[in-house]
Each structure stands twice: as structure tokens, then as C-alpha cells.
Amino acid sequence: MPFQQGSARTRQRTVLLVGIVVLLAALVLAVLLASVLTHGKQEEGPKMMKWKDRGTTKNLKEVILGRCYNYVTARYPELRDKDCLKIWESLEHAFIYKNPCNITTEDYQPLMELASHPIPCNKSLFWSKTYDLAHRYTKSNQKFLTLEDTLLGYMADSVSWCGDPSAPGINYESCPKRSECESNPSSVFWKIASKMFAEAACGVVQVMLNGSIEAGAFRNSSTFGSVEVFNLNPGKVSAVHIWLMHDIGGPQSESCSGHSIKKLKNILEERNLMFTCEDNYRPVQLLQCVHNPDHTDCRLCTSTT
């Protein structure tokens, strides 16, 4: 009888041990299977797109918010009612988790409505291939404003951004160049902002062009030549005054009677816009005029007629 009881206990222990081993084996198998399935999903999931231009600016949110708050508090406190957080959210919503080659003007419409503001008459300064000079000038002389001196342009100047359908929805590694696709976040943004800046211009409009490049001072492919010049409102703009700068980027030189300037003149006159042109101005001369605007050679710096 004791022998039978011992055998029964032994069988019970054996069954229990076998059950535990089977359970552990099942758990290990389940963990391995889950790991394989998860790894497979990760491999099969969408990968971040690769492009040729630089990726989204690091800490983009902080950069945009910082610039916005600085603009509406320190630079132009009359715009302090602007909601910088909503402005950032509308910008982010325009591109996050989206294919960066499928951005539309509608994507940016809420941002444009939130961040736009009036531009005083006679203060609009357009530029083409004269970025550094134009902004050195407006930084020293508050008489004129470029697009980059508006809230929209100030926030976005020299930063980049683009989204991606895969997580985290923002591509910090690369963004598409315009040559890869025209409907990319940067190109669409600047095209809309440039159009709005031109539409808002009134009075005498100033345009700083580079007369020292081989391609010509006025180019149809430029933002000014393809967007801004065609969105100036003849009912609001009384004249377009060209500042033709020299010795900026090369030995080539074009005067106010040059081929590309004549082409610009024809476009403006066909749109019933008065055309004037100041020739042979150099960067050093222009910047010196900021400090001595009454000099006889400084008509360019103070001209509004």
C-alpha cells in the first residue's frame, strides 16, 4: 500500500513537471513568435523618404515660436494680438505626415490668414539675386520692408521643413528640392507668401536687382519675375522703381537700357504700371547712403516717386 501511494505521488510530480515544462515552452514560443511578427512588421513598414535637400530644421517648433514672439513683442508690438502658438500649429498641420511632393496652397491657407498683416504704402522692397544686400539695407534703414521683414517671412527665413507619411511625420534628414518636385513645402510656402506680399503692396514699389550676373538682372524664372511682378495691383501701385545694383556677383553688367530690364519695363507697362530705373549703384555706395541720405548721389535711397 505505501508503495502504491509513492508511485501515485511520483506520477503526480511527473505530470506537474511536464505541465510546467510545456507551459514554459509555450510561453517561450509565444514570445519568439511575437518578436518575429513585430520585427517583420517593422521591416515591412514604410521607410522615411530620401531627398537631395537639407532636412527639417532641428527644433523647428522652438525656432518658429521664438521668432514669432520676438516679432510681435519686440519688433512690432502693434501685432501683439497674433497667436504664435496657433500660427505654429497651422504651419505644422500644413506639412506633417504628408507626402512632401503633394503640398497645396490650401494646406497653407490657415497659416496665411493667421500671420498676415498690412504693409504700409511706399515701404515694399522686392529683390532678386540681391538677398544679402537687400536685408543689410532694411536692417539699417526702417524705411523699407522686404518679404523677410514681414511676420511670415521673418519666421521662415533660412529654415526648412517637410513631412513624411511615416512616423514621426517630420523628415529631419532630407527634404525635396524644387528640381525634384515643385509642390514641396518650402516652394509652395514662399510662392504663396510672395504672392500675398505683392498683392499687399501700394504706392511706390522698390525693386533691387543684380545687374552683375550673366543671366540678366530680370529673369522670368525668378520669384519676382514669375510671381510678384504679376500680382502687383495697378489700382494700388503708382510706380515700380528699379534699383539696379552692380559688382555683387560677377563681372557682367547690365544697365537700365539692357535687354532684360527692357523686358521688365514692357511687362509693367502692359499692366499699366509706371516704370522708373536707377542705374550704376554699388553695394558700398548704397549702404553709405543709409548714414548720409542727403548726399547728392543718394536719390536711390530716399526715392518714393
Side-chain angles (χ1 to χ4, degrees), residues 102-139:
N102 293 333
I103 303 301
T104 67
T105 56
E106 288 74 18
D107 290 324
Y108 283 115
Q109 198 57 43
L111 171 64
M112 299 298 155
E113 294 175 358
L114 286 170
S116 63
H117 56 85
I119 307 298
C121 288
N122 303 315
K123 294 198 69 171
S124 299
L125 172 59
F126 297 86
W127 57 271
S128 184
K129 292 293 185 180
T130 54
Y131 174 91
D132 290 336
L133 179 61
H135 295 97
R136 286 173 62 194
Y137 181 66
T138 57
K139 185 177 180 179

Side-chain angles (χ1 to χ4, degrees), residues 179-241:
S179 59
E180 294 179 276
C181 58
E182 289 193 11
S183 297
N184 65 73
S186 179
S187 295
V188 175
F189 171 86
W190 286 111
K191 184 175 182 178
I192 301 171
S194 298
K195 180 176 181 290
M196 289 180 57
F197 185 61
E199 291 174 339
C202 57
V204 178
V205 165
Q206 315 294 329
V207 184
M208 188 183 292
L209 300 180
N210 186 341
S212 296
I213 56 176
E214 188 174 357
F218 174 74
R219 295 162 298 113
N220 294 105
S221 59
S222 68
T223 299
F224 176 70
S226 63
V227 178
E228 292 167 337
V229 71
F230 294 105
N231 284 284
L232 295 172
N233 187 343
K236 295 166 57 179
V237 175
S238 57
V240 178
H241 188 69

Side-chain angles (χ1 to χ4, degrees), residues 114-172:
L114 286 170
S116 63
H117 56 85
I119 307 298
C121 288
N122 303 315
K123 294 198 69 171
S124 299
L125 172 59
F126 297 86
W127 57 271
S128 184
K129 292 293 185 180
T130 54
Y131 174 91
D132 290 336
L133 179 61
H135 295 97
R136 286 173 62 194
Y137 181 66
T138 57
K139 185 177 180 179
S140 302
N141 184 353
Q142 301 299 313
K143 189 177 182 66
F144 300 111
L145 293 172
T146 66
L147 171 57
E148 291 74 21
D149 295 312
T150 67
L151 176 56
L152 273 170
Y154 182 77
M155 291 188 299
D157 190 23
S158 300
V159 301
S160 61
W161 63 88
C162 68
D164 194 277
S166 61
I170 299 178
N171 193 334
Y172 290 99

Side-chain angles (χ1 to χ4, degrees), residues 13 85 138 257 298-299:
R13 292 194 189 99
L85 184 57
T138 57
S257 59
C298 292
R299 290 173 300 159

Side-chain angles (χ1 to χ4, degrees), residues 31-100:
V31 170
L32 290 174
L33 183 60
S35 177
V36 170
L37 290 174
T38 303
H39 184 66
K41 288 181 179 179
Q42 290 177 345
E43 288 185 342
E44 295 172 2
K47 295 182 179 180
M48 194 73 70
M49 297 178 179
K50 293 184 179 180
W51 307 98
K52 296 180 180 179
D53 211 351
R54 60 176 175 151
T56 300
T57 300
K58 303 298 182 184
N59 304 310
L60 179 65
K61 178 179 180 179
E62 289 74 16
V63 172
I64 297 297
L65 284 175
R67 290 183 176 185
C68 182
Y69 287 129
N70 179 63
Y71 193 93
V72 302
T73 56
R75 292 170 63 97
Y76 296 96
E78 63 269 24
L79 299 176
R80 58 184 173 272
D81 290 338
K82 295 289 185 182
D83 190 327
C84 290
L85 184 57
K86 284 187 177 180
I87 287 173
W88 156 250
E89 290 172 346
S90 64
L91 171 60
E92 182 184 44
H93 183 72
F95 73 92
I96 192 169
Y97 280 107
K98 295 179 181 179
N99 185 318

